[in-house]
Amino acid sequence: MSLVAALFRGELERQARYNIIAASLVVAIVWVGVLHFAEIGDVTALLPLLLMIDSVTMPIILVGASMFFEKQEGSIRSLLVSPIHHGEYIGSKAASTVVTSVLTLVIVFGYARIFREVHLGFGALLGAVVLISVFHALVGVLITYRARDFTGMLMGMFRYVVIIMVPVVLEEVGIIQHELLRRALFLLPTKAASTLLTATAADFAPWEIGASIAYLVLGIVALTVLALRDFSNFAARESGV
Amino acid sequence: MFNVTGLKYRYPRNAEDTIRGMSFEVQGGEIFGLLGPSGVGKSTTQKILVRLLQGYRGQVTYRGKDLRSFGKEFYQRVGVGFEMPVHFSKLTAEENLAFFRRLYANNADTDELLRRVGLYEDRNKKVNEFSKGMKIRLNFVRALLNRPTFLFLDEPTIGLDPGNARVIKQMIREFRDDGGTVLLTTHLMNDVDELCDRVAFMAHGTIVETDTPKNLKLRHGQRQVEVEYEEDGDVCMQSFNLDHLATDDTFFDIVRNRRIITMHSKETTLDDIFIKVTGVQT
Ligand SMILES: Nc1ncnc2c1ncn2[C@@H]1O[C@H](COP(=O)(O)OP(=O)(O)OP(=O)(O)O)[C@@H](O)[C@H]1O
Ligand SMILES: [Mg+2]
């Protein structure tokens, strides 16, 4: 078995054992609850918003929690003296986060298709969710590098959510309407995220969709470079022999 | 195996160097003990040699090649035994070992290792249900699981009962006898006596003494006999040089005319040498 596969399998095993999968299933059920009680027949507008919130916040929390556990119980030390490359370590974290995000997507979308009306393509949603959750798994890695403890990690995530995600949500629900502000939102990765998630229902110009994909892909590349660059510092700090 | 010359290291946030010019060599097939007072930089040195700390100055070569030139393959045949916990606490011992085994090209028979350290029966217990000594023994198994040829051990027997400590020491010796090389730090001079082929004493960020335990004792040794005796109702004590005992009249006077309470020959212990060469009073 290749190293990446071994690491990925280990991540999934631990997600199950540390109740991380359970936690994300609970959140998925919350989203289903929202759809259920919203009492709107057509959830085409609501669903992308929920998926955006989920695939922005959950990867940050999941990656942060798993790295925090590794720091706290010292298993990170054991990983650091294993023949694995930093990229493989980070990649396996991102990949396992995608699994939980996709699981949520399947549950929430499945509910919407069966019990509600929805005009969104699953394939497009899947692609969008994968990109958004990889992007934010990497954001989670960087936040965890900088955080001193779990509270610090949560604070970092909170700051990210308030500054980067909330404005886009406010626009989606119609609270932000000023044209200049709306344009400014295109600077945020979450705007690209929400654009992609609504792409199959709304009439975006192809270049807008292309730009959103490019934003997230380039963002993933840039975040990967940062995550790899700062890994050594993180390793040195966490590696009391 | 390892050749270290003029090694210096400063932690990023510190004003002064922790390692201030260390030079030593770990030869293939030996158990090399790195000793010194707490906080002197033993673990720091180990961290540098296991490539966890970058940005050191000086030269370190491993098997004749610059340590920096190695990639991740460095860890394929290197085992690192930590003194701190290193396992996924919500997985069982066996699940932990199974996970780490999959990361290496070579695997030891971990069942056999678990049996030897007395953890086989507990292999399906979660690690957070392990006692301290059980975790330490599991760390040791973890260090051996990739069939390493070089083994780093940081205080491998601290926190173990004498029986388990003996098993671990026996396994370390067997590892060496099978051709393995060991770099070990410890504060237990007993372990040094039992295990180390050569030792280096660290003080003030450098190495102040390197030799075999036996030579150290010979060089720093005072061979004395200490006599405790009664004189006019008081207890007195006097030391005599063992080498000149035959011609020492005072000694014979005491032996003939006083009541001897105790008489001990005193060889210098590694404890004494430790305190002498590192300049640390305990
Ligand atoms: N991450 C760090 N940042 C800054 N200074 C550190 C760090 N880790 C260790 N030090 C300092 O480096 C010095 C050497 O520490 P080290 O852990 O190497 O000592 P040691 O010889 O292993 O001691 P002990 O016998 O107690 O384990 C100490 O003064 C310690 O405060
Ligand atoms: Mg130490």
Side-chain angles (χ1 to χ4, degrees), chain B residues 153-181:
Chain B
L153 295 172
D154 204 357
E155 317 247 3
T157 62
I158 285 276
L160 293 183
D161 63 76
N164 278 311
R166 182 175 294 177
V167 171
I168 299 288
K169 282 185 270 195
Q170 182 56 30
M171 290 172 76
I172 296 172
R173 275 190 297 264
E174 284 169 21
F175 176 82
R176 187 254 334 259
D177 295 340
D178 290 342
T181 311

Side-chain angles (χ1 to χ4, degrees), chain A residues 1-3 6-11 13-14 17-19 69-70 73-86 88 231-233 235-237 239-241, chain B residues 9 11-13 43 46-47 50 52-54 72-73 75-76 78 80-92 95-96 99-100 102-105 126 142 154:
Chain A
M1 183 163 37
S2 88
L3 265 183
L7 283 171
F8 178 63
R9 177 176 161 186
E11 286 291 335
E13 194 177 27
R14 273 171 270 138
R17 208 50 89 68
Y18 285 74
N19 292 326
F69 273 126
E70 286 170 9
E73 57 189 20
S75 44
I76 183 77
R77 285 191 276 268
S78 204
L79 287 164
L80 287 174
V81 298
S82 304
I84 52 179
H85 190 269
H86 307 161
E88 293 165 336
F231 189 89
S232 312
N233 282 336
R237 211 159 6 102
S239 63
V241 170
Chain B
Y9 183 76
Y11 281 102
R13 276 185 298 274
S43 299
Q46 281 215 13
K47 277 195 239 179
V50 294
L52 285 172
L53 293 181
Q54 271 94 43
K72 289 288 152 182
E73 80 284 356
Y75 296 111
Q76 281 292 1
V78 165
V80 185
F82 293 89
E83 55 172 336
M84 302 156 167
V86 297
H87 287 99
F88 297 107
S89 62
K90 296 194 183 187
L91 302 187
T92 67
E95 286 165 342
N96 268 285
F99 170 71
F100 286 114
R102 289 196 289 268
L103 305 181
Y104 294 96
K126 284 187 188 169
R142 158 74 183 94
D154 204 357

Side-chain angles (χ1 to χ4, degrees), chain B residues 123-134:
Chain B
R123 68 191 185 286
N124 293 320
K125 262 194 199 161
K126 284 187 188 169
V127 172
N128 61 10
E129 293 162 10
F130 270 26
S131 73
K132 190 167 139 232
M134 289 163 83

Side-chain angles (χ1 to χ4, degrees), chain A:
Chain A
M1 183 163 37
S2 88
L3 265 183
V4 182
L7 283 171
F8 178 63
R9 177 176 161 186
E11 286 291 335
L12 289 183
E13 194 177 27
R14 273 171 270 138
Q15 282 199 345
R17 208 50 89 68
Y18 285 74
N19 292 326
I20 288 178
I21 298 244
S24 71
L25 284 179
V26 168
V27 173
I29 288 166
V30 169
W31 300 140
V32 167
V34 171
L35 292 179
H36 183 81
F37 292 109
E39 297 197 337
I40 27 177
D42 187 344
V43 295
T44 305
L46 182 55
L47 192 67
L49 188 63
L50 298 185
L51 288 175
M52 198 264 278
I53 294 174
D54 187 84
S55 46
V56 167
T57 54
M58 290 310 280
I60 302 182
I61 299 178
L62 299 189
V63 166
S66 103
M67 287 174 72
F68 179 77
F69 273 126
E70 286 170 9
K71 291 207 287 190
Q72 192 190 33
E73 57 189 20
S75 44
I76 183 77
R77 285 191 276 268
S78 204
L79 287 164
L80 287 174
V81 298
S82 304
I84 52 179
H85 190 269
H86 307 161
E88 293 165 336
Y89 172 82
I90 293 166
S92 67
K93 293 251 178 276
S96 64
T97 314
V98 167
V99 170
T100 49
S101 294
V102 168
L103 202 63
T104 302
L105 167 66
V106 168
I107 293 169
V108 177
F109 186 78
Y111 175 87
R113 274 306 282 273
I114 297 168
F115 297 102
R116 292 284 186 271
E117 196 180 326
V118 63
H119 302 282
L120 294 159
F122 182 78
L125 287 179
L126 180 67
V129 162
V130 169
L131 279 181
I132 300 164
S133 71
V134 169
F135 185 99
H136 288 93
L138 292 165
V139 169
V141 169
L142 290 175
I143 288 177
T144 311
Y145 282 173
R146 282 159 186 73
R148 228 166 264 267
D149 49 24
F150 196 67
T151 322
M153 200 278 291
L154 287 179
M155 287 310 294
M157 187 200 82
F158 188 70
R159 267 197 300 275
Y160 182 90
V161 164
V162 168
I163 299 170
I164 310 286
M165 192 185 84
V166 167
V168 175
V169 175
L170 292 180
E171 189 214 8
E172 289 286 320
V173 298
I175 292 178
I176 292 183
Q177 292 189 336
H178 194 280
E179 191 51 33
L180 200 66
L181 278 178
R182 294 188 54 186
R183 293 242 179 98
L185 290 180
F186 279 97
L187 292 172
L188 301 177
T190 40
K191 180 63 190 173
S194 107
T195 303
L196 283 186
L197 286 166
T198 38
T200 42
D203 47 345
F204 284 112
W207 71 265
E208 280 178 302
I209 294 167
S212 297
I213 293 175
Y215 188 138
L216 290 176
V217 169
L218 291 177
I220 288 170
V221 172
L223 290 170
T224 306
V225 170
L226 286 179
L228 290 176
R229 189 199 65 184
D230 295 349
F231 189 89
S232 312
N233 282 336
F234 166 74
R237 211 159 6 102
E238 302 308 331
S239 63
V241 170

Side-chain angles (χ1 to χ4, degrees), chain B residues 2-8 19-26 32 34 45 57-60 198 200-202 205-210:
Chain B
F2 269 104
N3 226 315
V4 178
T5 4
L7 179 65
K8 291 184 184 167
I19 309 293
R20 303 178 188 149
M22 273 176 71
S23 301
F24 64 96
E25 185 195 359
V26 184
F32 185 86
L34 192 56
T45 307
R57 288 156 286 149
Q59 239 228 323
V60 182
R198 287 193 314 132
F201 283 100
M202 281 184 79
T206 61
I207 297 223
V208 288
E209 182 76 89
T210 318

